[in-house]
Amino acid sequence: MGKRIVAVRYSPDWLALTDDDTRRFLRRHHIDENLLVDFMALWDGNLKVDYRSFRDEIAKLSRASFAAVRGAEVISHEVLRETKRASDDLIAFVDDDDWLSPGLFEELDKACPRPLNGIWWGSILVGPQLTTYEESQTVPLIELRPLKRVIYTNNYAVTGRALNHHGYPRLFEHYHADRRFGKFWWPPKKVPLYLSAASKHPCSTVSVQFFMAQPQFRADPRRHVERFADQLAEAVIPAEYGWLKQPVNAVEALVRRALA
């Protein structure tokens, strides 16, 4: 059996992040390059934990989650780019605000011991519903996303064989992988288990995009952050996903420190 690898995408030194770093990142993703600069000014002017420190704390939680995955080697995307993988390696891609079940690869190996191209599984959303501002404040934060063939940031893994054949750029980002999977002769196998979670905290880029477009948020960001802390406290975590409790509690504690 090959190696089991957690490959972490873009994860800067958050404490040393410059405004130009954020602009370069956003341009790569075709997002308004000043979005994070504007958000940081608003956040830092209203909260006690500044944006860079907040993101650094979130990344530490994720790194602890990745390190706890049994039998896994955690590497950066830069290291992955530089190495040719063995055909039976299995590589899961994550962002630095994602969380993984400690038994991720154990469950995948039981369900699909010899994947040809890859595997995908269920993803848990931990964060507000970014549909309307009202729903973001009222809908429960924990959602088991439907087990449809949709690739999110952290609910898929590819084999070294697939990575070597299809190429890193086609599989590294989840939206590219989602398109590429439809072209595989042997599609990645579905494993009907929830083995990863996406933490859509207030400083995550997708949350920033949504809330910066909401007049209610821009007028009173503290009110939203207070509501987010309460939603975390109210979150109901099913017993079988007990691995979520520690990071959810840690995010709540971080948010309350920001509000202190």
Side-chain angles (χ1 to χ4, degrees):
M1 184 175 72
K3 292 182 177 179
R4 298 300 180 249
I5 295 167
V6 175
V8 185
R9 298 188 189 92
Y10 177 73
S11 183
D13 177 350
W14 287 106
L15 296 178
L17 190 75
T18 68
D19 289 355
D20 283 342
D21 290 334
T22 72
R23 292 187 178 103
R24 282 191 292 272
F25 169 74
L26 293 173
R27 281 198 297 268
R28 282 204 305 273
H29 293 276
H30 310 291
I31 301 170
D32 173 15
E33 67 175 35
N34 289 311
L35 177 72
L36 285 175
V37 172
D38 294 343
F39 178 80
M40 286 189 290
L42 185 63
W43 178 275
D44 293 356
N46 285 274
L47 282 304
K48 299 296 185 182
V49 177
D50 65 86
Y51 172 88
R52 291 171 176 83
S53 298
F54 191 95
R55 288 302 308 250
D56 184 63
E57 292 289 331
I58 291 288
K60 286 176 181 175
L61 290 175
S62 293
R63 286 196 292 270
S65 169
F66 306 152
V69 177
R70 294 185 287 274
E73 177 182 343
V74 183
I75 64 175
S76 68
H77 69 91
E78 293 95 343
V79 171
L80 183 67
R81 283 178 187 267
E82 295 169 357
T83 56
K84 186 176 178 64
R85 305 313 315 178
S87 61
D88 58 348
D89 285 352
L90 191 61
I91 303 106
F93 295 95
V94 292
D95 290 335
D96 72 353
D97 50 6
D98 290 333
W99 305 324
L100 299 176
S101 164
L104 171 69
F105 287 117
E106 294 170 346
E107 295 293 345
L108 296 180
D109 288 338
K110 282 192 292 186
C112 186
R114 293 181 181 84
L116 183 63
N117 284 319
I119 309 175
W120 66 276
W121 56 89
S123 173
I124 303 171
L125 173 65
V126 182
Q129 290 293 333
L130 304 181
T131 48
T132 67
Y133 186 80
E134 181 181 15
E135 287 195 343
S136 76
Q137 306 299 289
T138 57
V139 176
L141 287 186
I142 307 290
E143 178 196 359
L144 303 183
R145 287 161 158 166
L147 275 166
K148 299 177 180 177
R149 208 228 71 184
V150 177
I151 304 305
Y152 296 103
T153 62
N154 59 25
N155 70 323
Y156 72 104
V158 298
T159 61
R161 178 187 297 105
L163 193 63
N164 295 335
H165 178 75
H166 291 275
Y168 180 93
R170 292 172 172 169
L171 297 172
F172 169 67
E173 294 287 2
H174 70 95
Y175 42 84
H176 291 152
D178 193 55
R179 292 194 293 269
R180 179 55 43 174
F181 279 10
K183 300 178 181 179
F184 279 9
W185 186 260
W186 295 105
K189 180 180 174 63
K190 171 183 176 180
V191 173
L193 300 170
Y194 287 88
L195 300 172
S196 57
S199 170
K200 298 306 177 188
H201 51 85
C203 291
S204 67
T205 303
V206 66
S207 293
V208 171
Q209 281 184 279
F210 177 80
F211 286 111
M212 286 296 279
Q214 310 302 317
Q216 303 97 312
F217 174 81
R218 296 180 74 110
D220 189 359
R222 281 186 63 89
R223 181 178 179 185
H224 163 70
V225 177
E226 288 167 355
R227 178 59 192 139
F228 181 71
D230 291 341
Q231 287 173 298
L232 287 168
E234 296 162 3
V236 177
I237 300 173
E240 59 267 42
Y241 308 117
W243 51 271
L244 278 178
K245 290 182 180 179
Q246 190 278 331
V248 167
N249 290 343
V251 173
E252 183 194 349
L254 173 60
V255 171
R256 294 202 186 279
R257 275 173 34 217
L259 289 163

